[in-house]
Amino acid sequence: MPNRTAPNVRKPEVAIIGAGVIGLAIAWRLAARGASVQVFDRGAAGGGASHAAAGMLAACAEAEPGEEALVALGRESQARWPAFDVELRAEGTLVVALTADDQARLNHQLVFQQKLGLPLQWISAAETRRREPHLAGKLAGAVLSPEDTQVDNRKLARALRLAAETAGASVSEYRAVSTISSRAGRVDGLVLVDGTKVAADVVVLAAGAWSRGIAGLGPELLPPVRPIKGQMLALRMDPAAPLLTHVVWAPAAYLVPRRDGRLLVGATVEEKGYDTSLTAGGMLTLLEAAWRAVPAVEELPIDEMWVGHRPGSRDDAPILGGGPIDGLIYATGHYRNGILLTPITADSIARLVLEGVSEAAIRPFGIERFGSLPAAAE
């Protein structure tokens, strides 16, 4: 894409499909640098996966073999979070081993993680219990990840919308996009479901799990993103005496304490399309896993239960960057890392749109890696 930062060059008109944290953050960064930005969403802003998430920033604890580039991207984004969100919590994460088998599995993974230079360490059962006294009586220990923190994703979505609109972006809720319009090999805007044509120099596809439902692109240009259903619930703790202060990863569930007393428990991973039903089996799985790790949760009232749809790509990594159609930018497929990757996605996509520069951190995540397209020009 041409360099748009030269003096007297008109800033682009940008249309963003999707008003989750990714779309809103990109809109904020672009509008703050003078671009004309319109954001469209099929539902409420921040109401999809951004609303359903737990807000964990787990770049270290979730690192697995074969995901080295994704780990690097996550760590780069993690480093940008302190300047991105003023309510970032700093207690860190404990990955708990309840049994010797759990310990063996975690230690095997820890060897790989430490080879990558990630700041994780094994701590004893006594040290784990000192940090979290309400954990189960039988405990083998835990992996401590001090730099894996959390944010309140629902507050984040609201804050990003306010920031984007304050910077001059327009956010349109319940205005679904039907088609990405193009002519002579470049995009020229959008067509909404109601038939309204929206002109744009650049279209950013940030529609999460719904990204393949937008018409106007050939099959080879549609990102390989599908919905991955997740069921979650929130319990209600006493904010003055919470059962947990760290994020706790237990076998088969994670527990995320909020300062307002909510304790999030998640999340199932289900290939069920766009199914929105809460199931007894899903809730049972989560509650049993939470109870095994923190028995005192059995006394807590249930505050909320919900379903979300993660945007999973073919390799569970995001799809970021341009494609063969000039002006089309992908920012989707973040799977379980949408909140974590919000800062790096917003900064890198804004730079790509305004300067034509593809940052090194996002280059491994272009759509061309799936084999149907040539690499986009840098």
Side-chain angles (χ1 to χ4, degrees):
M1 296 180 66
N3 187 320
R4 300 184 184 277
T5 60
N8 302 318
V9 174
R10 179 179 67 87
K11 295 289 186 179
E13 294 184 355
V14 183
I16 299 175
I17 309 173
V21 293
I22 297 295
L24 292 171
I26 294 170
W28 171 38
R29 291 303 204 213
L30 285 170
R33 293 180 61 183
S36 174
V37 183
Q38 298 183 75
V39 185
F40 299 92
D41 199 283
R42 60 191 296 276
S50 300
H51 184 82
M56 296 179 296
L57 310 179
C60 301
E62 289 196 273
E64 296 183 355
E67 297 184 347
E68 287 80 359
L70 182 58
V71 172
L73 184 71
R75 289 292 282 163
E76 174 64 28
S77 196
Q78 203 171 49
R80 301 184 189 200
W81 262 106
F84 198 84
D85 189 281
V86 295
E87 292 193 20
L88 188 70
R89 291 189 62 167
E91 293 88 351
T93 293
L94 291 172
V95 185
V96 174
L98 300 179
T99 67
D101 286 345
D102 295 336
Q103 180 178 356
R105 176 179 53 82
L106 291 181
N107 281 332
H108 178 75
Q109 187 171 0
L110 183 60
V111 170
F112 163 76
Q113 293 166 333
Q114 290 178 334
K115 284 181 179 178
L116 293 182
L118 300 178
L120 298 102
Q121 61 176 309
W122 176 260
I123 60 174
S124 67
E127 175 61 16
T128 303
R129 197 174 309 285
R130 185 189 69 78
R131 292 172 178 270
E132 292 293 358
H134 293 284
L135 287 170
K138 291 184 177 181
L139 189 67
V143 172
L144 171 63
S145 183
E147 295 183 18
D148 282 349
T149 55
Q150 61 151 307
V151 296
D152 188 322
N153 46 288
R154 296 181 182 181
K155 289 183 179 179
L156 173 67
R158 293 193 293 269
L160 285 173
R161 178 179 183 174
L162 178 61
E165 291 181 327
T166 300
S170 168
V171 179
S172 297
E173 300 177 295
Y174 302 102
R175 299 195 72 191
V177 174
S178 68
T179 305
I180 295 173
S181 176
S182 62
R183 177 179 299 178
R186 75 160 295 121
V187 301
D188 61 6
L190 305 172
V191 179
L192 306 182
V193 168
D194 64 11
T196 302
K197 175 67 183 288
V198 179
D201 302 305
V202 176
V203 171
V204 179
L205 181 55
W210 286 266
S211 293
R212 285 185 65 84
I214 311 299
L217 301 176
E220 75 284 358
L221 296 177
L222 288 173
V225 175
R226 69 196 189 283
I228 301 177
K229 177 185 175 181
Q231 300 183 55
M232 287 185 64
L233 70 147
L235 305 173
R236 176 61 63 179
M237 304 182 293
D238 179 355
L243 294 182
L244 297 174
T245 55
H246 297 73
V247 173
V248 170
W249 282 80
Y254 52 76
L255 298 91
V256 183
R258 297 283 199 239
R259 289 198 174 99
D260 64 1
R262 281 161 57 90
L263 179 62
L264 278 57
V265 183
T268 66
V269 179
E270 305 171 59
E271 296 282 359
K272 294 288 184 67
Y274 296 103
D275 176 55
T276 60
S277 58
L278 287 161
T279 66
M283 292 298 103
L284 177 62
T285 296
L286 296 176
L287 287 169
E288 182 179 30
W291 173 78
R292 289 186 182 279
V294 187
V297 300
E298 67 181 5
E299 301 293 337
L300 300 180
I302 294 176
D303 190 69
E304 183 186 358
M305 298 183 289
W306 66 94
V307 170
H309 296 95
R310 312 170 185 90
S313 73
R314 194 180 301 160
D315 60 3
D316 295 335
I319 301 170
L320 305 171
I325 295 184
D326 196 14
L328 174 64
I329 304 291
Y330 299 93
T332 186
H334 290 77
Y335 189 37
R336 297 167 60 140
N337 295 306
I339 305 299
L340 168 65
L341 296 177
T342 294
I344 186 68
T345 300
D347 292 344
S348 61
I349 296 301
R351 190 176 182 195
L352 179 61
V353 171
L354 295 174
E355 303 174 29
V357 174
S358 178
E359 293 190 6
I362 71 167
R363 289 176 195 162
F365 302 101
I367 192 171
E368 68 276 358
R369 74 183 187 271
F370 299 110
S372 61
L373 295 170
E378 297 177 6

